[in-house]
Amino acid sequence: NAGVTQTPKFRVLKTGQSMTLLCAQDMNHEYMYWYRQDPGMGLRLIHYSVGEGTTAKGEVPDGYNVSRLKKQNFLLGLESAAPSQTSVYFCASSWTRYEQYFGPGTRLTVT
Amino acid sequence: QQPVQSPQAVILREGEDAVINCSSSKALYSVHWYRQKHGEAPVFLMILLKGGEQKGHEKISASFNEKKQQSSLYLTASQLSYSGTYFCGTDRPAGNMLTFGGGTRLMVKP
């Protein structure tokens, strides 16, 4: 089992560009999450999903959109990137609201 | 609201003990603990669901005082492999999401 995978691992964007981050899990988990982690700080929840076709806002949803068309995939979109969105993005999944399994992260730089 | 962790950083020698605290101003359903090594993803350590419950993971244990909305992580006889940043995540009764604290950076030296 690959667990949770994220694509891409690194990305550099210019202000105003758009991109989509892909998260995939092969554990048949219902719950999936997108977090951002800024240097020296904790994880902040952007959006999450409790099942295929559902999404909900987390703590810091502004500037991001998500979709969960298939149970195993959770996509995070940035429509118009801003320097404030420079961060490391982690995807996670879980059976219920408990133990979360994290992907390796995507390091995004917006110039 | 983000839970508060203390201390922010601690340096230990191998074999020493440490306690990391996590407190919230809101009623909690559960407390989760994760460890993140530099440049890696967070890894789940344990979850505490009820007040006063203690759990263990090797030489790492934790307690959860539901009434005080506090949790403590106990690391005994620390090993070099314990180095990393420890995060608590709190879960409210009506929620489906964790709110993480700012982290405690732990460094174990030989």
Side-chain angles (χ1 to χ4, degrees):
Chain A
N1 285 352
V4 180
T5 58
Q6 293 183 230
T7 308
K9 288 186 169 54
F10 302 92
R11 186 71 187 268
V12 178
L13 286 180
K14 293 185 177 180
T15 298
Q17 288 184 321
S18 63
M19 76 164 294
T20 300
L21 305 183
L22 171 63
C23 175
Q25 53 95 2
D26 61 1
M27 296 174 281
N28 203 33
H29 286 169
E30 290 292 338
Y31 289 53
M32 296 189 75
Y33 314 82
W34 275 108
Y35 294 92
R36 61 176 289 173
Q37 185 175 37
D38 299 313
M41 295 183 66
L43 298 146
R44 291 185 293 169
L45 183 66
I46 304 171
H47 286 281
Y48 66 99
S49 168
V50 300
E52 181 178 316
T54 73
T55 62
K57 294 180 180 180
E59 301 171 72
V60 289
D62 294 342
Y64 305 95
N65 57 74
V66 289
S67 64
R68 182 104 181 264
L69 299 179
K70 292 184 178 181
K71 186 177 183 179
Q72 63 267 33
N73 295 337
F74 196 29
L75 278 64
L76 178 71
L78 286 74
E79 293 181 345
S80 179
S84 60
Q85 294 178 305
T86 292
S87 189
V88 178
Y89 291 84
F90 286 102
C91 175
S93 70
S94 63
W95 279 112
T96 60
R97 58 197 283 187
Y98 302 137
E99 179 180 352
Q100 295 184 21
Y101 294 81
F102 283 81
T106 294
R107 188 173 297 272
L108 175 66
T109 302
V110 183
T111 61
Chain B
Q1 191 170 358
Q2 188 180 35
V4 177
Q5 288 186 233
S6 62
Q8 288 187 317
V10 59
I11 300 174
L12 299 173
R13 293 286 181 188
E14 262 188 304
E16 291 182 339
D17 301 340
V19 180
I20 298 172
N21 300 303
C22 174
S23 64
S24 173
S25 59
K26 298 184 184 296
L28 301 176
Y29 177 75
S30 65
V31 178
H32 305 219
W33 286 97
Y34 286 79
R35 177 170 63 203
Q36 184 179 29
K37 293 186 180 287
H38 184 68
E40 299 181 6
V43 174
F44 175 81
L45 292 176
M46 66 188 74
I47 179 174
L48 301 106
L49 294 173
K50 293 182 180 180
E53 182 183 9
Q54 274 196 281
K55 282 203 168 185
H57 175 78
E58 298 175 345
K59 293 183 180 177
I60 300 174
S61 62
S63 63
F64 176 26
N65 188 320
E66 186 180 348
K67 289 182 180 178
K68 291 187 177 180
Q69 293 144 206
Q70 294 176 346
S71 177
S72 294
L73 187 71
Y74 307 95
L75 299 98
T76 58
S78 59
Q79 306 168 13
L80 295 176
S81 62
Y82 286 3
S83 292
T85 302
Y86 289 79
F87 293 100
C88 69
T90 55
D91 181 16
R92 300 192 63 198
N96 280 313
M97 61 186 219
L98 290 180
T99 302
F100 284 92
T104 296
R105 188 170 296 181
L106 178 76
M107 182 183 295
V108 181
K109 293 186 173 182

